[in-house]
Amino acid sequence: MGYSDSLKLSLWVSYYSRWEWILSPPLASRHFKSDPDISYEIKADNSDYAGSGYDRGHLAMQADMRGRSEQCEREACYLTNIAPQKPRFNRVVWNSLENKIRDYVVDNGDGWIITGPIFFDEHYETIGENKIPVPDAFYKIFVDTLDNGVFACAFIIRNQDTELPLDSFSVSIDSVEAVSNIDFFHLLPDDIEDKLEGKDFHSAYCDYLLK
């Protein structure tokens, strides 16, 4: 993850997912807690979320951490992997997208997931004594190899309740880079990176993921 000391949030979380991990049994319980590796002055606390009206929304889905180790799954509840999410956003549209990606991984074997918050400007709501910023939206990128090529999808969804279908939020990786100010996959050869991140390449595969 790439953690922002000033925002007290992770700007990106990246992880690999495999079908056998997803199908592993879950832990019996979970406990959100502050990350012990982050200094007190630059991290969130559970009290920031109490009574805020926002869920503690996972970036890396806790269920995706199954099958690795009990420690890994428990650490998915560290608040460095959490951001304020509207309840209906977290529990409906965001959860639906997470489950679509999980279904794809179970059916096809593996994939890389990158996800994080988006702030459209410098003016944002904050919660709690530590003034944890509420993101305007969240992005999710999914990448997998497919038939000796590359399959990629990206989404930007506003942090609010919505009745729109998931394909309404499909965007190119270039678009995610433009609003997140993060240069993804910059170590790839330029021709492969340009193809992977462009609109034409991306739009051809969204329906495949969401079927």
Side-chain angles (χ1 to χ4, degrees):
M1 61 176 59
Y3 189 75
S4 168
D5 293 355
S6 60
L7 292 177
K8 303 175 184 177
L9 288 176
S10 290
L11 298 181
W12 58 264
V13 172
S14 175
Y15 61 98
Y16 191 65
S17 186
R18 293 190 59 82
W19 68 269
E20 59 263 40
W21 296 340
I22 287 177
L23 296 180
S24 299
L27 293 177
S29 62
R30 68 180 186 180
H31 303 283
F32 293 99
K33 60 188 297 185
S34 293
D35 191 326
D37 292 328
I38 302 296
S39 299
Y40 174 80
E41 298 81 6
I42 57 171
K43 66 181 178 181
D45 186 81
N46 275 319
S47 62
D48 294 314
Y49 288 85
S52 68
Y54 288 90
D55 282 358
R56 290 167 292 193
H58 286 85
L59 298 176
M61 192 178 186
Q62 184 186 6
D64 283 351
M65 300 300 108
R66 296 174 187 171
R68 305 160 193 257
S69 69
E70 180 177 326
Q71 178 183 356
C72 184
E73 190 171 349
R74 293 195 184 282
E75 287 182 356
C77 286
Y78 283 173
L79 295 181
T80 40
N81 185 45
I82 300 298
Q85 294 183 341
K86 286 284 190 181
R88 289 279 299 170
F89 168 86
N90 178 36
R91 304 172 198 181
V92 183
V93 65
W94 191 245
N95 183 63
S96 178
L97 177 57
E98 290 173 326
N99 286 329
K100 282 292 185 182
I101 292 174
R102 287 166 57 79
D103 289 345
Y104 174 90
V105 171
V106 169
D107 291 342
N108 296 278
D110 58 19
W112 283 99
I113 299 162
I114 307 171
T115 189
I118 291 173
F119 298 91
F120 292 126
D121 58 48
E122 296 180 355
H123 304 287
Y124 42 74
E125 179 184 356
T126 63
I127 60 171
E129 183 177 347
N130 290 304
K131 299 187 181 303
I132 307 305
V134 177
D136 296 309
F138 289 85
Y139 69 85
K140 196 175 289 290
I141 298 170
F142 179 78
V143 179
D144 192 13
T145 57
L146 180 69
D147 297 330
N148 296 317
V150 178
F151 164 85
C153 268
F155 301 85
I156 295 175
I157 309 179
R158 280 192 172 270
N159 188 11
Q160 61 189 27
D161 185 20
T162 180
E163 300 295 331
L164 294 174
L166 285 175
D167 59 7
S168 303
F169 308 105
S170 171
V171 299
S172 67
I173 296 173
D174 279 339
S175 296
V176 178
E177 291 183 332
V179 294
S180 67
N181 294 314
I182 298 173
D183 183 8
F184 301 102
F185 315 119
H186 60 279
L187 296 180
L188 289 174
D190 288 343
D191 58 334
I192 297 176
E193 182 184 5
D194 291 344
K195 180 180 179 182
L196 175 67
E197 297 180 354
K199 178 179 179 181
D200 292 340
F201 175 82
H202 172 268
S203 61
Y205 294 106
C206 180
D207 289 343
Y208 185 82
L209 177 71
L210 298 179
K211 66 180 179 180

